[in-house]
């Protein structure tokens, strides 16, 4: 803000862009505080998810998203499946 005020006081578009970015950052921080620091709110309470995993209703895994085709390709690797571990 100081840089813009001191060196570009008449550049309206830059000031508007800065204000827009600042507002977006404040909204994101506010949402993060509402969600206890998590970027996205949980869809179900943790207790329900844990119970569902234990009962077999839900499965748990790691999401892998293609870095080259992120909008088209992703998979979930289930824990305990496909690993080379034995035992």
């Amino acid at each position: 803000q100081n840089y813009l005020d001191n060196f570009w006081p008449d550049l309206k578009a830059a000031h508007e862009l800065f204000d827009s970015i600042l507002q977006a950052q404040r909204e994101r921080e506010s949402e993060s505080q509402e969600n206890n620091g998590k970027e996205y709110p949980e869809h179900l309470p943790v207790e329900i998810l844990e119970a569902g995993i234990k009962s077999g209703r839900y499965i748990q895994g790691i999401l892998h998203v293609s870095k080259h085709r992120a909008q088209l390709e992703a998979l979930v690797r289930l824990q305990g499946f496909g690993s080379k571990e034995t035992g």
Side-chain angles (χ1 to χ4, degrees), residues 9 13 21 30 35 38 41 44 52 54-56 64 69 84:
I21 292 170
S30 175
N35 296 322
K38 298 175 183 160
L44 293 173
K54 287 180 183 177
S55 72
H64 296 274
R69 297 174 45 112
K84 295 181 180 178

Side-chain angles (χ1 to χ4, degrees), residues 3 11-12 16-17 25 42 45 54-56 60-61 66 72:
Y3 175 81
L11 192 57
K12 184 178 179 181
E16 289 175 356
L17 178 60
Q25 182 181 12
E42 296 172 356
K54 287 180 183 177
S55 72
Q60 183 175 4
S66 169
L72 302 173

Side-chain angles (χ1 to χ4, degrees), residues 53-78:
I53 291 169
K54 287 180 183 177
S55 72
R57 180 174 183 181
Y58 302 123
I59 56 174
Q60 183 175 4
I62 298 172
L63 176 65
H64 296 274
V65 179
S66 169
K67 68 179 173 180
H68 301 292
R69 297 174 45 112
Q71 294 178 339
L72 302 173
E73 294 179 5
L75 65 94
V76 175
R77 181 158 301 163
L78 301 179

